[in-house]
Amino acid sequence: MHKLVLVLRRTADPEALERQWSERFVPLAERMPGLRRVVVGRTAGAPGSIPNILLIHELLFDDLESLRRAMTSPEGQQAGRALMSFAADRSELFFAEHLEMEVPDRGPDHPAGIPS
């Protein structure tokens, strides 16, 4: 799978930015052809500071070609214009290959990810 990743940077009024994203961008973006899955992450803090990132919105597609077709579709173009109208200076978009795996529970004596 491949995904379009949207990163929204924090503003002085994060609630207003999130409202704009939710009301103006999301309904259009989620109509893009070939969209398979959506993942949203809102920042909850960072070690020793307040993160500059407000949220990360991931739109997953079967492959890179499907993602590119979605971006150039009428729905993708509308979503892009909507995003630029309120967050041109607060957003970053990029493509990423998406890999996912389950990590087995190794018990309390063996933290996940550390071979025994």
Side-chain angles (χ1 to χ4, degrees):
M1 293 191 96
H2 278 75
K3 60 187 173 183
L4 171 63
V5 180
L6 163 62
V7 177
L8 281 180
R9 289 185 295 283
R10 190 171 298 283
T11 65
D13 188 356
E15 291 83 16
L17 179 60
E18 189 163 343
R19 188 171 44 259
Q20 293 281 343
W21 162 78
S22 178
E23 293 173 1
R24 297 177 63 193
F25 173 74
V26 171
L28 296 170
E30 291 185 356
R31 288 199 317 247
M32 287 193 294
L35 181 63
R36 297 287 181 228
R37 186 171 166 206
V38 174
V39 178
V40 175
R42 288 179 179 84
T43 56
S49 67
I50 296 173
N52 189 36
I53 304 300
L54 177 64
L55 66 83
I56 301 167
H57 187 176
E58 300 173 312
L59 302 148
L60 286 88
F61 297 84
D62 288 335
D63 51 43
L64 187 56
E65 184 56 36
S66 297
L67 189 164
R68 290 177 194 263
R69 278 195 306 272
M71 298 250 342
T72 59
S73 71
E75 297 87 350
Q77 294 295 305
Q78 287 178 320
R81 283 192 296 276
L83 180 65
M84 292 301 107
S85 74
F86 67 87
D89 63 338
R90 289 284 177 210
S91 60
E92 185 172 346
L93 295 163
F94 58 91
F95 303 154
E97 185 176 11
H98 180 82
L99 305 170
E100 198 170 316
M101 64 180 241
E102 295 290 327
V103 177
D105 182 0
R106 298 177 187 207
D109 295 333
H110 295 92
I114 300 174
S116 48

